[in-house]
Amino acid sequence: MIIKNLKVINSKGTIDIPDWINFAFSLGAFINDHGIKYKRPIQIILSLPSEKFFSLFIAMGIANKIFSKNKQMRSIRQTVINLEKGNRIIYQDEQSARKASVISVEPSPVFEDEMILKIKDGKIERGIPEKYWISRVILLDEEFDEIKRARKVSQKQKVGLSNSRLLSALYTATQLNKVEFYPGDSFYLVGNAGQINEYMGYEIFIYEGVKGTIKDFLYTDNSNSYTNGKIFSSQMKRNDVQINHEVPVIYSDLFSFIKQDREFTKNPKIILSSRAENENRLHEVKEELRRKLLQSNNNIATEEVVEYLKSTGVQIPLGIEFLAWR
């Protein structure tokens, strides 16, 4: 896991990733890989000394899996070939990055067995040879049917991931280029949106002299053309985003679970609680989960998570308890 190579900045300098952060990273990796199994979503509830930052570190573990994935070029090739006339992409060259419209994808008139992507770039028609697709083309999430509110790229938005010095130090340019091809949700974070955004901006990490924040890994707003997740407020009254039921949900506290679980009943999920939780709220969640476990066809899956952690060399820190079920 590449993010284990990060160092944490503290008042005395830097330290290795603490066990509890590493544990959170690994939970993210687990639910990314095994959130849906046997067509059944896993659900995990954790009791923590403090839930501060924990949900964000789980999301980072998910993001790291996406950034580290060795996406095959043939998959990217097929995605571009499937683009239709009128689809929108981002075209980037040495001068700038801007939106363009797809005209067609057709065999190259120059090289045998190679395709060419034709686009309308302003008033100019361009042909992008297949060998340049990975470096010059970025898909837009507005072309993904499951996303209702399309994010438009404006002049103020950053394009792609290469502008993050921390990501560029951790991952190869090829990895980041491949990631940019597939915008879309890999996690949903539910909690106090203002607090989550504040925590994301703290400068916590350093790698090979490059400092960075949680926000270097999580792209949930309209500041970048690439997105990998969404934040939902625990106070949300109405949801107008179409939910992908395979995307893991991370509840940053019990209040968020109580208020919003109706929106994510079919998703894999991780529910966080702290020792400082309101006693009545804790009792309400315990009774609700007890009812679900007794009335539904669920199996305890805690050992499945424990075995995964053991296989990856991750220790469960002292003071953390959890229960998992499918």
Side-chain angles (χ1 to χ4, degrees):
M1 185 179 284
I2 293 176
I3 52 175
K4 291 182 181 179
N5 296 326
L6 292 168
K7 301 283 187 181
V8 172
I9 302 169
N10 67 7
S11 57
K12 297 180 181 179
T14 63
I15 58 171
D16 291 336
I17 295 291
D19 287 345
W20 69 274
I21 297 181
N22 191 32
F23 174 67
F25 287 165
S26 297
L27 279 181
F30 171 81
I31 204 162
N32 178 79
D33 293 347
H34 305 288
I36 302 288
K37 203 171 184 179
Y38 321 117
K39 298 183 179 180
R40 302 177 70 183
I42 196 163
Q43 301 179 64
I44 305 171
I45 185 167
L46 291 102
S47 175
L48 311 166
S50 170
E51 81 280 15
K52 186 177 180 181
F53 288 104
F54 206 89
S55 61
L56 292 169
F57 293 143
I58 294 173
M60 277 182 64
I62 295 173
N64 177 71
K65 291 291 292 187
I66 303 302
F67 295 155
S68 304
K69 193 173 292 182
N70 185 23
K71 203 76 178 181
Q72 297 297 314
M73 285 302 296
R74 63 175 177 269
S75 171
I76 292 172
R77 181 179 191 270
Q78 192 59 49
T79 301
V80 175
I81 289 173
N82 289 341
L83 290 173
E84 298 178 353
K85 183 177 180 179
N87 283 158
R88 303 282 275 168
I89 64 161
I90 297 173
Y91 172 69
Q92 53 185 355
D93 56 18
E94 293 78 10
Q95 283 74 47
S96 66
R98 59 268 185 195
K99 267 191 171 183
S101 296
V102 172
I103 298 173
S104 64
V105 185
E106 56 191 58
S108 170
V110 180
F111 298 104
E112 189 177 352
D113 298 327
E114 186 175 73
M115 302 296 285
I116 190 166
L117 170 64
K118 289 188 174 182
I119 62 171
K120 186 73 176 294
D121 178 18
K123 296 181 179 180
I124 302 171
E125 289 191 6
R126 297 184 184 276
I128 310 172
E130 190 176 322
K131 62 183 176 182
Y132 294 120
W133 289 354
I134 187 63
S135 60
R136 296 193 177 179
V137 176
I138 297 176
L139 298 188
L140 286 170
D141 68 359
E142 65 192 73
E143 302 303 341
F144 285 69
D145 291 339
E146 72 269 15
I147 298 176
K148 287 183 178 179
R149 288 193 295 183
R151 278 185 274 261
K152 305 294 184 182
V153 178
S154 70
Q155 295 298 319
K156 295 181 180 179
Q157 286 178 317
K158 294 179 180 178
V159 176
L161 301 171
S162 59
N163 49 67
S164 167
R165 293 180 62 231
L166 185 60
L167 291 188
S168 296
L170 277 170
Y171 307 97
T172 67
T174 300
Q175 282 177 315
L176 296 182
N177 282 342
K178 289 179 179 179
V179 167
E180 291 164 4
F181 245 83
Y182 296 96
D185 298 331
S186 301
F187 60 87
Y188 297 140
L189 271 168
V190 186
N192 183 322
Q195 192 174 70
I196 288 172
N197 280 303
E198 179 189 347
Y199 290 166
M200 283 172 64
Y202 288 3
E203 198 169 67
I204 295 174
F205 300 109
I206 188 169
Y207 178 72
E208 294 187 349
V210 179
K211 295 179 180 180
T213 67
I214 295 171
K215 199 171 178 64
D216 280 289
F217 296 86
L218 309 185
Y219 294 81
T220 60
D221 58 24
N222 203 28
S223 62
N224 196 292
S225 64
Y226 172 75
T227 56
N228 59 3
K230 283 188 176 67
I231 297 173
F232 293 88
S233 170
S234 54
Q235 302 285 0
M236 176 176 62
K237 302 296 184 185
R238 175 185 166 191
N239 173 37
D240 58 354
V241 176
Q242 186 170 327
I243 300 301
N244 180 343
H245 295 304
E246 293 189 356
V247 172
V249 181
I250 308 162
Y251 294 101
S252 61
D253 51 40
L254 294 184
F255 179 76
S256 302
F257 171 72
I258 292 168
K259 288 294 184 180
Q260 302 301 342
D261 193 53
R262 66 185 183 280
E263 301 287 348
F264 306 99
T265 55
K266 297 180 181 178
N267 294 70
K269 62 195 65 171
I270 296 179
I271 308 158
L272 304 184
S273 69
S274 78
R275 306 288 194 269
E277 285 279 3
N278 177 283
E279 190 172 331
N280 290 335
R281 192 177 296 159
L282 185 60
H283 178 73
E284 180 181 348
V285 171
K286 280 183 176 179
E287 290 305 308
E288 173 65 13
L289 295 181
R290 190 196 309 275
R291 183 188 62 79
K292 286 184 177 180
L293 284 168
L294 291 174
Q295 293 181 0
S296 304
N297 183 25
N298 290 305
N299 296 317
I300 300 300
T302 308
E303 193 61 31
E304 181 184 335
V305 183
V306 171
E307 287 303 315
Y308 174 87
L309 296 171
K310 284 182 180 178
S311 71
T312 54
V314 175
Q315 298 290 325
I316 301 173
L318 294 174
I320 292 179
E321 300 173 333
F322 69 92
L323 175 71
W325 66 97
R326 289 191 188 275

